[in-house]
Every structure is written in C-alpha cells, then in structure tokens.
Amino acid sequence: MNSPADAPFIIDRDYTYFSPLDLMATFLGVCIIFILAYLRKRRHRELDYYKYYLPALSFKMLFVLANAIFYIVVYGGGGDSIGYWDGAVKLNNLFWEDPFAYFGELFGNQEVRSVYYNFTIDTGYPDTRMYAESESWFISKIASLFTFFTFKGYMLMSMIFAYITTNASWKLFELVRNYKLHSDWHLAIAIFFIPSLSFWCGGISKDTVVFVAICYFLHHLFQLISRSRKSRWKNWLILFVSLYVILQVRSFILLGLAIPLLFAYSAALSKRFEKRKFEKYSIRLLFLSIIAGAFIIFFATPLSDDFIKEASVINQDMTVNKTYGNNRYSLGEIDYTPIGLIIAAPKSILAGFYRPFIWEALNVSLILNGIESIVLLYFTFRFFISRKIGQRIKRIRKHEFLIFAFFFAVILAYFAGFTSILFGVLVRFKAPVLPFLVIILTSYYMEERSDTSPPDPSTLREPQGP
C-alpha cells in the first residue's frame, strides 16, 4: 500500500499500439470472434433474418476499428477511450502485484481515498481525471476484466467491445422484429447500419456500455412481461445488472427509461379496454396524472435545483470556453428555471435529432453526421407527407413499443441537445437516440400489416449461443 502525499503522477502514454504482439493478438482475436459469429449463424440457419448477423458484426467492427485509430492517430494516444483503457491496464498491473487491492478497487469506492492508495510506481498511476470521476473509473473497472485475455492490447479490447455491442444490438433487433412493425431490412438499418452509432457506441466508452445495458434491459424486461417461466431468474439477474450499470454510468438515463415505459404500459392497458371508453380514458388520465405529479414533486424538491444548477454550469462552460474548439451551436438565451428548460425543449430536441446539418458538418470529423442528418430529414419528410399521417400517428400512439421508442428518443434527444453545445460532444451523446428515431420514422413501411396488436408474448424468443 503506497500513499505518500508527494508521490509523483506517472502515466504511461508511450504505449505501442501496433507492436507485432498487439497486431498478432488482434488478428487472432478477430478470427476467433468471427468463428463464434459464424457458428452462431449456422446454428440458426433456419431463421432467414440471421443473414444480417455477420454483416452487422462486420459493419460494427469496421467502425470501431476506425474509432480506435481515430483516438490513436488524431488524438495522439489521448482522449476518453484511451484513458479508460489505460486505467484498465493499471488495474491489471495492480492485480498481479496485490490481488486483494485489485478487488478492493473493483468493488470499493475510490472517492474516499487518494489515487495513490493502492497504486505504486510499479503498477503505474491511472489518470487522475479518470480516477476522480466515478462514472469514468467504472468503465475502466469493466474494461480491466478483459485485460487478462487481451494481452492488455487496446485494439483487441476494442474489437471485443464491438462484438459485445453487436450481440446486445441483436437482442434489440429480435425484440422489435417480433412486433412485425418493419421489414427486416429497415429494422436492420435502424439498429445495425447507422455509421455514427457504430462509431461512437462500439468501442471502449461510456456510450457503448450504456447502449449495451439499454439493449439488454429492454430485451429481458419484455421477457419478464411475457410471463414465460423459462429462465426467469436469468431475466431478473440481467435486468438488475443492466439497471446497475446505467445507474453507475449515466443515471439520468433511468428517467429516460421510466417515463416512456409508463406511457407504454398505459397504451397496453388502454387496448384491453378499447371498447369500454370510460375505463380506457380513465387509465390514460391516471397515468398522465402520475407522470405530471412526478414532475411537480421533482421540481418542488432540492433535486431540481441541483439538476438546473449543474445543467447551467455545463451549458455555459461549453458555450464560452474556447478550449473545446469552435464547432458549436447555440440554443439562444436560456432561463435556467423549470419554465425556461421547457421553453428550450424544441430547439434541444431538434438538435438531438438532426444536428449537425450538412452545412454545419463540412469537415472530416463531422461529414458522416451531416449525411446522416439528410437521411433522417428525408425519413421525417416521408413520414409526414402521406395522406395517412393520421393513421401513422394513431399507430404509434396505440402500439406500446412505438410509444416507448418515441418518448425515449425525445427525452434522450433533449438531454443531448441541451447539454452538449459542441457538435463533437453532441454526435456522441445523440448516437443511442438514432435507432429509436429511425424505428419510429420507418414503421410505416409495413402499413400493409396494419394490425397494431403485439404478438403473443409467449412467442418472444430467447436466442441461444454466445
């Protein structure tokens, strides 16, 4: 145990990311990943939609590779992703020096002690900025579990994260597919083939961990709703682990999940009383009252003051601090009160959905996002120009998963658009919003299957294999 007050801060930034050992380990690791993926596809060869599995994995790994090279080359071995991995490597070193100290870091609370409490010159010291922020250090702790079979390699660990994210996305794909709201192709585009989603939510990052947790949470929640007795303990376990991960990394996502789920449950109950108008509208009124009451209680407590104060600090810092660069946008003058936050909502949500626009993204780092913006605006235009727009909105309003996706996308877009201000931050925060937005905008492609009732929950399938 080493805790001198004047211990030197040492962090190794001279990693050899492309050494022969790193390249060989990455190559072998990728081969093993694709062998596992091929075996999984072969086990399910009778399912036609599994033709998207290998392309989805390839697409994800290609963009995660680009992301890793981006951090190594453009950021010069810096940036958050490298920082998370660096902390994981230092934790691995700590395990071999003192296993008990490693598990103490893994399950303990580092906020109550100095960064030098367990680490030594021999283990190396993690970046104090990463260690001081519990959310960031949590990512390093998760990543440290993979260092034991990746030779501590950054590239190989990134590929493993990509594989895990693909499998989590597949859970979401199979869940939504059961509702028969989309063609398989449009659903695959929404969940697998959005470039910015694969780039930012695939490597070693908070965004990746949160997106994986959201996918598993939704899949296993619906498994429990199906009331299937099969693997209920597994569903509950993964559900609570997912919630714990979200709470540790981005706790505000829990609010983004809770409100849409209440609306979705309200829609599901209302359909049971479709022909009994009094009960139907009573249920809707009850849930609206619960949600409105929750907001009133929240804004009447000190928690709202803390939230508004933190939002004000982040927003103003991003707006005026030139060290972040000049690729930024403005929401105009913001009154940091509950009413002011509501007034800022339309511009914030618009930014979370569609910005940067193509004329705001005329540089290498943002051009793909600008092109995505054009595609999203096209889907939005197609959604609203039809004479059946009333039927489309009614379909969303009555289908529990679509109404969940709508409110979830709106809430996350608001958080992303309001707090980011920088386009470079916005494109990362908004990435998990995009699949749910595209799911909403493309659901009308299956209008010929106009039955909006969900399938028999017992048909929801728990895929086997890795």
Side-chain angles (χ1 to χ4, degrees):
M1 191 176 298
N2 183 35
S3 58
D6 58 347
F9 174 69
I10 300 174
I11 183 167
D12 184 4
R13 290 298 189 192
D14 297 323
Y15 292 112
T16 54
Y17 301 100
F18 302 110
S19 70
L21 177 61
D22 290 326
L23 294 176
M24 183 178 297
T26 302
F27 175 76
L28 291 175
V30 170
C31 289
I32 292 172
I33 287 172
F34 273 100
I35 290 172
L36 292 174
Y38 173 77
L39 292 175
R40 175 174 179 168
K41 180 185 177 183
R42 187 175 179 181
R43 279 196 303 275
H44 301 93
R45 55 183 174 269
E46 74 282 0
L47 301 176
D48 180 65
Y49 64 88
Y50 254 84
K51 65 185 178 183
Y52 295 109
Y53 183 66
L54 286 177
L57 176 61
S58 303
F59 190 84
K60 177 71 73 175
M61 296 189 77
L62 177 64
F63 276 88
V64 170
L65 177 63
N67 178 272
I69 294 174
F70 174 81
Y71 277 104
I72 294 171
V73 176
V74 178
Y75 279 1
D80 292 348
S81 183
I82 299 290
Y84 303 138
W85 169 73
D86 172 77
V89 170
K90 301 301 169 53
L91 281 167
N92 181 280
N93 295 340
L94 179 62
F95 173 83
W96 297 112
E97 181 175 281
D98 186 347
F100 290 104
Y102 169 78
F103 288 107
E105 287 289 340
L106 209 62
F107 300 107
N109 180 8
Q110 82 278 3
E111 293 179 350
V112 302
R113 57 183 183 270
S114 163
V115 69
Y116 308 116
Y117 185 81
N118 284 318
F119 293 94
T120 67
I121 292 177
D122 292 331
T123 63
Y125 298 97
D127 188 328
T128 51
R129 294 167 298 176
M130 293 291 172
Y131 191 85
E133 185 184 67
S134 60
E135 296 89 347
S136 297
W137 190 238
F138 185 78
I139 304 300
S140 290
K141 290 193 286 188
I142 291 176
S144 73
L145 302 175
F146 299 98
T147 58
F148 295 100
F149 49 89
T150 62
F151 301 98
K152 305 178 186 178
Y154 174 68
M155 302 291 289
L156 178 53
M157 190 185 295
S158 297
M159 295 297 100
I160 291 175
F161 269 64
Y163 178 59
I164 293 171
T165 310
T166 301
N167 286 333
S169 300
W170 193 257
K171 296 282 189 182
L172 181 62
F173 176 81
E174 289 199 313
L175 170 65
V176 182
R177 186 182 181 276
N178 273 286
Y179 287 107
K180 296 181 172 59
L181 299 167
H182 308 75
S183 67
D184 288 347
W185 168 235
H186 287 100
L187 187 58
I189 290 175
I191 297 178
F192 301 128
F193 300 122
I194 298 177
S196 63
L197 178 67
S198 291
F199 188 86
W200 294 114
C201 296
I204 309 169
S205 71
K206 291 180 184 177
D207 308 283
T208 299
V209 172
V210 168
F211 184 69
V212 167
I214 290 171
C215 290
Y216 276 105
F217 171 81
L218 292 176
H219 176 82
H220 290 281
L221 176 66
F222 278 84
Q223 287 288 326
L224 287 171
I225 290 174
S226 73
R227 298 180 181 180
S228 171
R229 296 184 179 277
K230 183 179 180 181
S231 301
R232 288 184 64 84
W233 67 269
K234 178 182 176 182
N235 292 323
W236 279 112
L237 176 62
I238 297 179
L239 187 70
F240 283 120
V241 170
S242 300
L243 286 173
Y244 174 76
V245 169
I246 294 171
L247 179 64
Q248 293 298 313
V249 182
R250 287 198 177 133
S251 56
F252 68 85
I253 297 290
L254 295 178
L255 179 64
L257 285 168
I259 294 175
L261 285 172
L262 281 174
F263 276 112
Y265 189 54
S266 171
L269 284 180
S270 296
K271 281 196 295 188
R272 296 182 185 179
F273 301 96
E274 189 66 34
K275 296 182 180 180
R276 297 159 64 180
K277 299 297 183 182
F278 178 78
E279 290 89 341
K280 173 183 174 181
Y281 289 110
S282 296
I283 290 171
R284 289 183 179 177
L285 181 61
L286 173 63
F287 276 88
L288 285 174
S289 301
I290 292 173
I291 294 169
F295 273 104
I296 292 172
I297 292 171
F298 172 77
F299 283 113
T301 64
L303 287 175
S304 66
D305 295 333
D306 294 339
F307 172 79
I308 292 173
K309 187 180 297 183
E310 183 177 359
S312 172
V313 170
I314 294 173
N315 189 284
Q316 292 177 7
D317 181 42
M318 293 289 189
T319 301
V320 303
N321 194 330
K322 299 301 181 183
T323 61
Y324 294 118
N326 296 316
N327 286 328
R328 63 186 73 233
Y329 60 94
S330 173
L331 299 175
E333 293 295 326
I334 298 175
D335 178 18
Y336 293 96
T337 63
I339 298 299
L341 297 182
I342 294 173
I343 293 174
K347 289 184 178 179
S348 300
I349 294 169
L350 181 69
F353 281 164
Y354 303 112
R355 298 183 77 171
F357 300 121
I358 187 64
W359 58 87
E360 298 171 325
L362 300 178
N363 60 61
V364 175
S365 61
L366 295 175
I367 189 63
L368 275 178
N369 300 101
I371 296 172
E372 284 180 1
S373 175
I374 293 176
V375 175
L376 288 171
L377 287 170
Y378 166 76
F379 279 136
T380 304
F381 178 73
R382 284 288 304 272
F383 183 88
F384 284 103
I385 61 171
S386 172
R387 294 179 181 178
K388 297 181 179 180
I389 180 61
Q391 294 180 18
R392 293 176 180 177
I393 294 175
K394 183 178 180 181
R395 188 178 191 216
I396 293 171
R397 186 169 55 84
K398 287 195 169 187
H399 196 287
E400 52 264 44
F401 188 84
L402 290 179
I403 202 168
F404 166 83
F406 172 76
F407 282 105
F408 185 66
V410 166
I411 292 172
L412 261 63
Y414 172 75
F415 281 131
F418 185 81
T419 60
S420 298
I421 302 303
L422 295 168
F423 284 126
V425 176
L426 176 66
V427 296
R428 293 174 57 178
F429 282 9
K430 66 179 276 187
V433 174
L434 299 181
F436 296 94
L437 175 60
V438 177
I439 283 172
I440 290 294
L441 295 178
T442 60
S443 61
Y444 70 88
Y445 280 96
M446 291 289 281
E447 281 180 343
E448 62 273 14
R449 300 183 184 183
S450 57
D451 181 8
T452 60
S453 60
D456 182 354
S458 64
T459 65
L460 288 177
R461 187 172 169 278
E462 181 74 27
Q464 302 299 316

